[in-house]
Amino acid sequence: MNTDWSRKDLLGLRELSAEEINFVLETADAFKQVGTREVKKVPALQGKTLINLFIEPSTRTRTSFELAAKRLSADIVNITASASSLTKGETLKDTAKVLEANHADIIVLRHGSAGAPQFLSTHVRASVINAGDGAHEHPTQGLLDLYTIREKKSRIAGLHVAIVGDILFSRVARSNIFALLKLGARVTLVGPSTLVPRAFEQLGVAVTHDLEKVLPEVDVVNLLRIQHERQRKEYFPGLGEYIRLFGLTKERARLLKPDCLIMHPGPINRGVEIDSELADGAQSVILDQVTNGLAVRMAVLYLCSGANGS
Amino acid sequence: MTATIIRNGRIIDPANDRDEIADLYLVDGKFSEQRPNEFEEIDATGLIVSPGLIDLHVHFREPGFSHKETIASGARAAAAGGFTTVVCMPNTSPVADSPSTIGWIRDRAEEVADINVLTTGAISKNLAGEELSPIGSLAQAGVVALTDDGRCIQNNELMRRAVEYARMFDLPILDHCQDYNLVGNGLVHEGYWSTLLGLPGWPGAGEEAIVARNILLAESCDHRLHCQHISSAGSVRLLREARVRGVKISGEVCPHHIALTDAAIENFDTNYKMNPPLRAQRDIDALLDGIADGTLDVLASDHAPHAKFEKEVEFDAAPFGIIGLETELGLFLDLLVHKHKTIDIARLVALFTMNPARLLGLKSGTLSLGAAADVTLINPALEWTVDAAKFESASCNTPFDGWKLKGRAVRTIVAGKTVWENAL
């Protein structure tokens, strides 16, 4: 394998080049194959210590990173906010210094504050992998979404991708936008004007509030979770109206091209952003995203740890 | 008798409409027209001889937060920046909302500071925005203005009564303009960079709504109301319209709001986190226009020290604010006089002396005969590099470390006595 990767950290997709993104995806191809074997383990990170530092709750991303690290034979420790000294008033910097004093090689950080991984990376020598920071970026989610699209469509360039829902507060949306544009896709954001403000047009994407007009044109529709359980009351009147305007119902799904992919980063609100049957239907690649997430995260850990020799 | 002659400098004294090369006599701590017989001589050839500069917006953190700054360290920083008078904000612990706290601060300043450290009192008790603090007692205790700086009174009725009541004591109101509903948990200017970085936006309208409120109250109460650290283009437009009509409203500008755009937050460096936030180029352009046409007629630092460990945290967890006393004159000279040519140096002196003195009703800010001999000697052409490690301030939270600037104070004189001199 060649060594077109010189990064110690993966903080976001905005700073990656198209070549770097493609290189991660190609590396993930090799690791995806590992998952199909009887023995799903390789020694690539043997002797390395990985810390899953999850200051914000997460099940699927944490599990995916944990499995990825185990399949690479790394030693792994999970730390959640409630179990960390952060609850005792320790700063993130001090927590990270303690982890480093325990010879951590890789810190996978999930944090509610945008920029927390950048901050951490300036204070530790260990690799820092962003597992989601506030509304900023979720680079491995973006990479696994691209991997899935590339796997199903054989390309990214020239495709038209709609991202639907709460864009303003979505790190998944931002990572997808940055990476899709770099690889030559067209991106249209769809949702209520409060959650998809016009300012996003400055990022090089289209913004619309008419889902039905967009659906026939797109090759991929990526539905984001609508957070109705907290703090969005000023942003839209209620779930009923949201579903009426932006829910992917069965009727609306008929507008899709037959080969249009339906994606969702999870967890799904069945019957809200997506009809329950559609989530399990032929066009849905939601579980492929999960499987591919493992391969992509193995690739990221492998590359950032320097195990590829760069 | 102690006497000093400042020789051959360019004397700029806007309050007396004076701009000439001449000698200045300082006798027994006051300006004098009598040439003394025995004197110390200061050669000011090539220098500007300005009334002592006034910064009406600083946080000296005492009592309560002396790990960030003390009155002593803050006063040294002020002197090093060319300031002979500063006005402290009341968000200390306890809050400066009682005569006893005001008395403590004034006593402390008397004891440890070489410069004039003036105080403000809180408009509302404990800065809670709910009931008036004892404004009359604060006036008697010697505050020069009232402000809830750091906080903004949201209740328009309470603010109206505060302005109306303060008028009785001729105390101006200084207001940090921020509508809490519009700003919410906003951290950075709402625009391209907040969208890109996923940081909560602090929209310009959140400032403008309160500036508009303040204009209405200044007009209806016929009293002086000063809007602190104006950051947005819309605020400038509102202020301009009101001032043309003669409303007693004013606004100040901080150096960071014209030196930097919100693009500076790209790397989540908390030394670029301030409130109000760094905004877009069009806002900077409007601020410069506002300074040029007199809409904005006071310059200030909003000197806001924070300890290193407090700023070395996640962006949203970090406190707002940067220090400014030791960089502001250099930045304003460099940007307003040299780079953008927004105003000439005589105007700059007025914005730092006569204008804040008039707003606050101070006798200083002039070189008038008999006034306290506060003088700042400025070398407008001196090129220097900001070195935060050498600051007098107890904190070093500045985004300007390493900046090369043109122009700075070289000597600070308070009541005839040199309190700071440039070692260069």
Side-chain angles (χ1 to χ4, degrees):
Chain A
M1 190 176 281
N2 64 17
T3 55
D4 306 358
W5 185 269
S6 56
R7 292 176 187 271
K8 164 177 90 72
D9 308 313
L10 180 66
L11 305 177
L13 299 186
R14 189 166 71 90
E15 59 261 37
L16 297 195
S17 65
E19 291 71 29
E20 286 174 305
I21 293 170
N22 279 323
F23 188 61
V24 181
L25 301 182
E26 283 159 26
T27 307
D29 282 333
F31 285 115
K32 180 155 187 184
Q33 190 266 329
V34 172
T36 62
R37 295 184 200 159
E38 187 66 26
V39 176
K40 300 177 177 58
K41 205 160 173 133
V42 292
L45 295 193
Q46 200 157 36
K48 300 263 187 190
T49 302
L50 180 143
I51 312 281
N52 258 340
L53 182 57
F54 275 59
I55 308 304
E56 192 184 67
S58 153
T59 307
R60 72 179 56 216
T61 304
R62 186 180 55 73
T63 306
S64 181
F65 269 108
E66 184 171 354
L67 281 172
K70 285 180 170 166
R71 288 184 178 183
L72 293 167
S73 306
D75 297 318
I76 169 159
V77 177
N78 285 302
I79 300 176
T80 58
S82 56
S84 77
S85 293
L86 292 152
T87 56
K88 299 172 188 166
E90 189 175 66
T91 64
L92 179 61
K93 181 187 166 191
D94 284 334
T95 299
K97 289 285 186 192
V98 169
L99 298 178
E100 194 159 61
N102 281 308
H103 308 300
D105 298 296
I106 304 173
I107 299 172
V108 177
L109 179 67
R110 159 67 64 92
H111 201 294
S113 304
Q118 270 86 345
F119 166 72
L120 199 63
S121 71
T122 61
H123 289 291
V124 297
R125 288 184 309 278
S127 289
V128 175
I129 311 294
N130 182 1
D133 61 327
H136 179 219
E137 283 229 42
H138 193 349
T140 57
Q141 179 72 44
L143 288 167
L144 75 89
D145 288 343
L146 261 70
Y147 187 92
T148 304
I149 294 168
R150 171 177 163 276
E151 182 180 64
K152 302 293 177 188
K153 294 283 189 187
S154 311
R155 67 188 170 111
I156 305 272
L159 295 181
H160 187 181
V161 178
I163 307 175
V164 184
D166 176 355
I167 310 293
L168 183 61
F169 294 95
S170 175
R171 52 192 171 217
V172 175
R174 285 181 180 77
S175 286
N176 264 280
I177 291 167
F178 299 142
L180 286 167
L181 293 179
K182 280 179 203 285
L183 295 201
R186 261 178 78 199
V187 178
T188 299
L189 307 179
V190 192
S193 45
T194 45
L195 293 174
V196 191
R198 292 283 298 274
F200 275 95
E201 289 175 349
Q202 297 174 58
L203 271 50
V205 298
V207 168
T208 178
H209 312 298
D210 186 345
L211 180 63
E212 289 176 16
K213 199 170 156 199
V214 171
L215 290 179
E217 300 169 11
V218 295
D219 304 294
V220 177
V221 55
N222 196 346
L223 303 160
L224 302 181
R225 175 181 170 78
I226 274 291
Q227 302 202 25
H228 58 280
E229 65 272 22
R230 57 188 165 119
Q231 69 183 299
R232 296 285 189 273
K233 287 196 174 64
E234 300 96 346
Y235 290 86
F236 60 98
L239 279 185
E241 181 156 315
Y242 183 85
I243 295 166
R244 204 146 48 242
L245 294 170
F246 301 106
L248 187 63
T249 58
K250 273 186 278 191
E251 296 72 44
R252 289 205 175 107
R254 289 193 198 100
L255 299 169
L256 292 170
K257 294 182 197 169
D259 62 346
C260 176
L261 305 178
I262 298 175
M263 304 178 72
H264 193 301
I268 306 170
N269 294 312
R270 288 181 183 267
V272 181
E273 60 265 3
I274 183 167
D275 175 85
S276 182
E277 285 180 36
L278 291 174
D280 304 324
Q283 284 174 280
S284 166
V285 294
I286 295 172
L287 292 176
D288 297 271
Q289 290 174 265
V290 176
T291 305
N292 291 337
L294 204 47
V296 162
R297 290 184 175 111
M298 287 172 79
V300 166
L301 295 177
Y302 173 77
L303 292 174
C304 288
S305 70
N308 65 330
S310 57
Chain B
M1 191 182 81
T2 60
T4 306
I5 295 182
I6 300 173
R7 276 182 49 79
N8 202 37
R10 176 178 165 195
I11 292 176
I12 298 180
D13 184 9
N16 292 308
D17 210 12
R18 195 171 166 207
D19 187 344
E20 60 184 334
I21 307 272
D23 296 347
L24 187 67
Y25 308 146
L26 286 56
V27 178
D28 286 338
K30 293 190 164 53
F31 296 116
S32 169
E33 58 184 338
Q34 293 297 324
R35 185 185 166 91
N37 295 324
E38 291 174 38
F39 52 86
E40 179 204 1
E41 184 172 294
I42 298 170
D43 180 8
T45 305
L47 302 181
I48 304 293
V49 181
S50 165
L53 305 184
I54 301 168
D55 187 334
L56 55 60
H57 191 160
V58 305
H59 298 266
F60 278 2
R61 305 301 190 199
E62 256 191 319
F65 306 105
S66 54
H67 65 288
K68 297 172 191 266
E69 191 82 282
T70 61
I71 291 170
S73 64
R76 286 198 305 275
F83 292 87
T84 59
T85 298
V86 297
V87 179
C88 295
M89 295 298 112
N91 56 343
T92 48
S93 179
V95 166
D97 62 357
S98 72
S100 61
T101 305
I102 299 299
W104 187 91
I105 294 169
R106 294 190 66 185
D107 288 349
R108 188 88 184 138
E110 187 68 33
E111 197 181 324
V112 302
D114 288 335
I115 62 155
N116 307 300
V117 176
L118 308 179
T119 65
T120 56
I123 302 170
S124 71
K125 279 184 189 159
N126 206 30
L127 305 174
E130 286 164 5
E131 50 183 325
L132 294 181
S133 58
I135 289 172
S137 306
L138 295 173
Q140 286 166 359
V143 303
V144 298
L146 298 165
T147 176
D148 269 9
D149 181 44
R151 307 290 297 272
C152 175
I153 291 175
Q154 301 295 293
N155 180 331
N156 295 332
E157 162 66 4
L158 181 71
M159 189 65 173
R160 177 238 159 127
R161 298 302 173 197
V163 179
E164 216 169 19
Y165 195 82
R167 183 171 182 259
M168 175 163 60
F169 307 100
D170 198 29
L171 285 178
I173 300 261
L174 319 177
D175 196 27
H176 167 118
C177 303
Q178 177 176 356
D179 182 298
Y180 289 173
N181 286 311
L182 280 169
V183 174
N185 62 349
L187 297 174
V188 300
H189 176 57
E190 183 176 308
Y192 173 76
W193 286 98
S194 69
T195 304
L196 190 77
L197 299 174
L199 285 167
W202 194 136
E207 175 178 286
E208 293 149 18
I210 297 293
V211 168
R213 184 267 313 257
N214 289 347
I215 288 168
L216 298 175
L217 295 184
E219 187 166 18
S220 61
C221 301
D222 190 29
H223 186 50
R224 302 197 300 290
L225 213 165
H226 174 74
C227 297
Q228 299 174 293
H229 43 47
I230 288 299
S231 67
S232 94
S235 299
V236 181
R237 201 168 57 238
L238 289 164
L239 290 170
R240 179 177 293 123
E241 184 275 338
R243 285 170 63 89
V244 166
R245 287 190 295 108
V247 180
K248 294 173 179 167
I249 191 91
S250 55
E252 80 194 18
V253 181
C254 297
H256 42 275
H257 287 131
I258 61 164
L260 296 161
T261 68
D262 58 344
I265 61 178
E266 179 169 9
N267 295 317
F268 299 94
D269 183 336
T270 57
N271 277 332
Y272 298 97
K273 179 180 174 182
M274 54 282 279
N275 188 10
L278 301 174
R279 297 201 185 276
Q281 187 59 47
R282 61 178 286 272
D283 295 298
I284 293 180
D285 295 342
L287 292 175
L288 295 175
D289 288 347
I291 292 168
D293 72 11
T295 298
L296 300 163
D297 69 345
V298 175
L299 303 176
S301 65
D302 190 7
H303 179 81
H306 293 292
K308 194 159 183 262
F309 74 87
E310 294 171 312
K311 278 284 198 181
E312 276 191 337
V313 293
E314 301 90 314
F315 195 84
D316 61 356
F320 289 102
I322 59 167
I323 55 172
L325 278 167
E326 291 169 80
T327 47
E328 71 174 305
L329 179 60
L331 283 162
F332 279 131
L333 280 167
D334 191 80
L335 294 170
L336 295 178
V337 178
H338 297 305
K339 187 174 170 203
H340 300 305
K341 305 196 186 332
T342 311
I343 50 175
D344 61 21
I345 194 153
R347 280 280 305 287
L348 181 124
V349 167
L351 267 65
F352 265 130
T353 58
M354 175 178 75
N355 295 356
R358 283 188 179 165
L359 172 69
L360 298 168
L362 306 178
K363 290 197 184 75
S364 56
T366 81
L367 302 175
S368 300
L369 296 177
D374 295 349
V375 182
T376 303
L377 299 185
I378 299 168
N379 182 341
L382 183 64
E383 296 187 17
W384 62 291
T385 303
V386 178
D387 182 357
K390 293 190 178 147
F391 280 168
E392 296 289 341
S393 171
S395 290
C396 58
N397 51 312
T398 175
F400 300 115
D401 195 22
W403 279 44
K404 290 183 181 4
L405 300 176
K406 188 174 177 185
R408 61 165 300 144
V410 291
R411 188 191 282 253
T412 308
I413 299 168
V414 176
K417 183 183 150 206
T418 293
V419 296
W420 183 84
E421 198 181 342
N422 190 5
L424 295 175

